């Protein structure tokens, strides 16, 4: 791909020795304390000792963090994940509501910044639709007293995906949810209460 020709992903970041449930391997440490192996060996089904690393792998914020240093979005890496996700549809590593919310926003942002190929676009549309449907039925709402700020992230992700997929009814719902929940989680100055 163009990206592979213009960027050597493993050389961008310091190599470290990592240990996971499946043994040791050489990898890269990305900003925000997330740890991954070399780009051609990304362990999509790996469970790291720190669950934030495991969830972070499936959120793709690490790609956004590296974009200033890259010339293109590494769509070949994302396509590898999309194929893996199709083959592992209920993998617990990738299917919790907060991770789905982050992934939706990050993948849509990446697609707006750098158009993927037609094949990747087809897979991406399918994944965004699947993740959006999952999120609609797995909102992090636990009643007025027990719901935290994650519901705002859910609403944001639904708004992103609905706007991107042109799903007006879901967009209306997401905006309504955000309007309902914002005053419950932010003070009058707009600061998030956590």
């Amino acid at each position: 791909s163009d990206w592979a020709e213009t960027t050597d992903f493993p050389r961008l970041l310091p190599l470290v020795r990592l240990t996971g449930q499946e043994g040791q391997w050489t990898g890269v440490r990305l900003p925000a304390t997330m740890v991954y192996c070399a780009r051609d060996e990304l362990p999509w089904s790996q469970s790291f000792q720190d669950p934030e690393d495991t969830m972070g792998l499936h959120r793709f914020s690490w790609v956004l963090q590296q974009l200033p240093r890259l010339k293109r979005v590494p769509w070949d890496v994302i396509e590898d994940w999309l194929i893996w996700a199709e083959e592992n549809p209920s993998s617990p590593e990738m299917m919790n509501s907060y991770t789905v919310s982050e992934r939706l926003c990050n993948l849509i942002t990446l697609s707006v910044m750098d158009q993927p190929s037609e094949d990747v676009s087809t897979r991406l549309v399918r994944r965004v639709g699947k993740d959006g449907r999952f999120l609609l039925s797995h909102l992090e709402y636990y009643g007025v007293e027990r719901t935290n700020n994650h519901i705002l992230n859910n609403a944001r992700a639904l708004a992103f995906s609905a706007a991107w997929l042109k799903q007006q009814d879901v967009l209306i719902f997401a905006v309504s949810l955000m309007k309902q929940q914002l005053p419950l989680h932010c003070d009058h100055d707009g600061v998030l209460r956590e």
Side-chain angles (χ1 to χ4, degrees), residues 63-120:
V63 175
L64 281 170
Q65 292 166 356
Q66 291 302 309
L67 269 185
R69 299 169 73 180
L70 304 174
K71 295 181 192 249
R72 306 269 329 262
V73 171
W75 287 114
D76 57 335
V77 173
I78 294 170
E79 183 178 28
D80 287 346
W81 181 87
L82 291 166
I83 292 167
W84 175 85
E86 289 170 2
E87 295 169 355
N88 299 276
S90 59
S91 172
E93 291 86 7
M94 69 170 183
M95 294 310 289
N96 71 64
S97 296
Y98 198 85
T99 292
V100 169
S101 295
E102 288 291 300
R103 178 172 58 244
L104 281 167
C105 292
N106 292 335
L107 289 177
I108 290 167
T109 299
L110 290 168
S111 76
V112 170
M113 296 173 77
D114 183 21
Q115 181 69 37
S117 71
E118 190 174 326
D119 288 346
V120 175

Side-chain angles (χ1 to χ4, degrees), residues 36 47 70-71 74 76 141 143 194:
Y36 311 102
S47 291
L70 304 174
K71 295 181 192 249
D76 57 335
Y141 183 80
E194 202 171 81

Side-chain angles (χ1 to χ4, degrees), residues 160-179:
F160 266 60
S161 63
W164 195 70
L165 295 172
K166 297 175 176 48
Q167 297 172 328
Q168 188 67 24
D169 54 338
V170 177
L171 183 58
I172 290 168
F173 170 76
V175 171
S176 297
L177 181 60
M178 185 71 78
K179 285 180 180 179

Side-chain angles (χ1 to χ4, degrees), residues 9-19 25-39 42 48-50 53 62 65-66 69:
F9 188 71
R11 289 188 189 158
L12 287 175
L13 306 159
L15 289 174
V16 294
R17 181 61 63 186
L18 306 173
T19 304
W25 31 270
T26 301
V28 293
R29 181 180 300 275
L30 299 178
T33 73
M34 293 180 216
V35 187
Y36 311 102
C37 74
R39 66 181 288 276
L42 284 161
F48 295 98
Q49 292 174 347
D50 184 342
D53 289 333
W62 53 273
Q65 292 166 356
Q66 291 302 309
R69 299 169 73 180

Side-chain angles (χ1 to χ4, degrees), residues 141-148 180-181 184-185:
Y141 183 80
Y142 309 107
V144 175
E145 296 296 320
R146 295 182 47 215
T147 298
N148 64 21
Q180 176 203 44
Q181 292 294 314
L184 301 174
H185 302 285

